[in-house]
Amino acid sequence: MTSDHPLLHITDQEDVFSFAYVLAVIGSAGYNYGKDYLDRDSEDLYVKHRASRTFIPMYKRLGLQVKCTYNFKQNSNNSIPFKLARKNYDDLRTSSEPHILVIVTVPRELRGCAEFGDDFLVLRNRAYWVSLKNLPPISDDNQANVTVYVPIGQEFTIESLRNLMTMIAKGEKP
């Protein structure tokens, strides 16, 4: 089977790419991660601190809901509007543990987003994060989705993940 006939639908390919991107950041930042067998709490992955005799974090893990989009445009508020399912919105805004939403942006065609060589792997495009903690509930009982605004200044990078993990170790939620 050639690459002109992929085995996965484009949305499945986007999911795989977004997880690879996020896992590359997590691994490069030096953290462990995990995944529950079933996603019931709008948590695709979690990033973990490793406690020791001299380091006991207040929160040991940061939950991540990972989404991928090719249909994005930065608005005048320097954010990316993203339509999120009501369940994900409610779960992320009311969680008792630290959670963030990570949006990985890709072009409509994934071709060229990953480049391989003898001694390198390049993953193109970007990821951004936002916390929905304490956002207001959706007032319309019939509303299935809500638009959240993901600041482009909050890129999901090695440095930002380390900062988030330091924050949660101190007991703060993003």
Side-chain angles (χ1 to χ4, degrees):
M1 187 165 286
T2 70
S3 63
D4 293 334
H5 303 288
L7 297 174
L8 296 176
H9 187 272
I10 186 65
T11 56
D12 296 322
Q13 291 176 38
E14 290 169 353
D15 284 348
V16 171
F17 180 83
S18 64
F19 275 75
Y21 191 104
V22 168
L23 290 175
V25 171
I26 293 168
S28 297
Y31 292 102
N32 195 2
Y33 75 96
K35 178 175 176 38
D36 290 338
Y37 185 71
L38 300 173
D39 175 9
R40 295 290 185 251
D41 300 317
S42 300
E43 180 180 275
D44 292 312
L45 301 168
Y46 53 85
V47 184
K48 285 184 66 174
H49 277 295
R50 184 168 180 219
S52 68
R53 286 184 291 151
T54 58
F55 173 71
I56 302 173
M58 292 296 291
Y59 290 109
K60 284 184 72 170
R61 55 188 253 167
L62 173 65
L64 307 179
Q65 175 71 50
V66 180
K67 299 290 184 185
C68 188
T69 185
Y70 67 87
N71 188 17
F72 65 95
K73 289 187 180 178
Q74 177 182 333
N75 66 16
S76 60
N77 294 331
N78 289 325
S79 61
I80 298 171
F82 184 81
K83 190 182 286 190
L84 187 65
R86 179 187 193 124
K87 181 198 181 313
N88 295 143
Y89 178 81
D90 286 339
D91 286 348
L92 293 173
R93 73 179 188 79
T94 60
S95 177
S96 61
E97 293 183 343
H99 279 81
I100 59 172
L101 171 65
V102 178
I103 304 295
V104 179
T105 61
V106 295
R108 182 63 183 120
E109 277 286 323
L110 282 175
R111 202 169 284 167
C113 281
E115 185 179 334
F116 303 86
D118 289 340
D119 62 349
F120 68 91
L121 164 64
V122 174
L123 299 176
R124 300 195 193 288
N125 286 54
R126 293 208 158 116
Y128 305 90
W129 70 271
V130 66
S131 171
L132 305 184
K133 180 183 71 128
N134 298 328
L135 287 181
I138 300 170
S139 57
D140 182 354
D141 289 339
N142 297 318
Q143 187 175 341
N145 300 297
V146 63
T147 300
V148 297
Y149 297 89
V150 184
I152 62 163
Q154 290 184 176
E155 278 193 69
F156 187 73
T157 63
I158 295 166
E159 181 181 354
S160 69
L161 178 58
R162 286 179 176 159
N163 291 338
L164 287 163
M165 295 304 285
T166 299
M167 179 187 297
I168 71 165
K170 294 176 183 177
E172 301 168 16
K173 291 184 182 178

